Amino acid sequence: MKVVLVAAISLDGFITRHDEPGSNFTSEADSRYLQEILPHFDCCIFGGASFRVARTWMRQRLMPDKLRVAVTRSPETYADEAEPGRFEFTSDSPRKIIGNLGARGYQFCALLGGGQIYSLFLQAGCVDELWITLEARLFGTGTALCPGHVDIPLELISHDNLGGDTLLLKYRPNR
Ligand SMILES: NC(=O)c1ccc[n+]([C@@H]2O[C@H](COP(=O)([O-])OP(=O)(O)OC[C@H]3O[C@@H](n4cnc5c(N)ncnc54)[C@H](OP(=O)(O)O)[C@@H]3O)[C@@H](O)[C@H]2O)c1
């Protein structure tokens, strides 16, 4: 089971513009790139806050034929919205979630944020690669890519220009 953290950030490391929910700051180049890569994953994971921000889009357009897993401290709240094998809610730890997905035959998982969930999985050692879209913008404030006191060394795998001023940086944790 391979887990790839997929995120778009400002040059100063924020995944949101100030306290604006969502990621409307991202470029056309990033949208095209996401449309290209997401079909290759067989499952994805995101946090409760990201789910609440983009609920309709996630239900209707985010990998609708694949398994989507929302991580929340109260999965029972979403019992009516859960569809086993398609849309699941869990409060399990990262290791348990990944172990469970692997045991069910899933092989390629996109970790789609937000910051709390990136941080949780990174700190648990459950991320194999980070695919970071770097947008040429500075925000000063916002939701951090990986909030908290962390120091996670990374190894650069590749760097590409997605078009215009937008870069794609791929890393792996240097364990
Ligand atoms: N630019 C990008 O690439 C990008 C990507 C994704 C998201 N975003 C944006 O980032 C923002 C959300 O980021 P965020 O960091 O505030 O929130 P988040 O990571 O999306 O979700 C946080 C939520 O995850 C659940 N959670 C956190 N720790 C947990 C734990 N240990 N066990 C179980 N559940 C846990 C809780 O859900 P409950 O409250 O349900 O318990 C918590 O409120 C949104 O505005 C979103 O649009 C941007």
Side-chain angles (χ1 to χ4, degrees), residues 49-68:
S50 295
F51 170 66
R52 289 187 286 275
V53 167
R55 195 183 212 120
T56 306
W57 178 77
M58 282 184 172
R59 294 204 67 84
Q60 294 174 355
R61 295 187 43 215
L62 175 67
M63 299 165 64
D65 52 340
K66 313 275 175 78
L67 173 61
R68 293 150 290 172

Side-chain angles (χ1 to χ4, degrees), residues 43-119:
C43 57
C44 67
I45 298 171
F46 40 82
S50 295
F51 170 66
R52 289 187 286 275
V53 167
R55 195 183 212 120
T56 306
W57 178 77
M58 282 184 172
R59 294 204 67 84
Q60 294 174 355
R61 295 187 43 215
L62 175 67
M63 299 165 64
D65 52 340
K66 313 275 175 78
L67 173 61
R68 293 150 290 172
V69 179
V71 183
T72 169
R73 292 191 176 86
S74 36
E76 64 284 354
T77 309
Y78 303 97
D80 289 351
E81 297 189 56
E83 295 173 60
R86 292 172 63 88
F87 215 111
E88 301 180 359
F89 296 82
T90 182
S91 56
D92 287 346
S93 68
R95 282 203 179 279
K96 196 164 173 194
I97 294 170
I98 298 306
N100 177 269
L101 291 173
R104 293 163 68 188
Y106 292 99
Q107 295 184 332
F108 197 29
C109 181
L111 184 67
L112 298 179
Q116 289 183 42
I117 285 325
Y118 292 143
S119 194

Side-chain angles (χ1 to χ4, degrees), residues 13-48:
F14 295 109
I15 60 167
T16 64
R17 177 169 45 201
H18 316 141
D19 55 4
E20 194 179 291
S23 37
N24 291 337
F25 67 89
T26 55
S27 59
E28 276 294 313
D30 180 61
S31 303
R32 279 196 304 273
Y33 152 76
L34 278 182
Q35 279 171 26
E36 189 184 308
I37 63 159
L38 286 180
H40 297 287
F41 293 92
D42 56 19
C43 57
C44 67
I45 298 171
F46 40 82

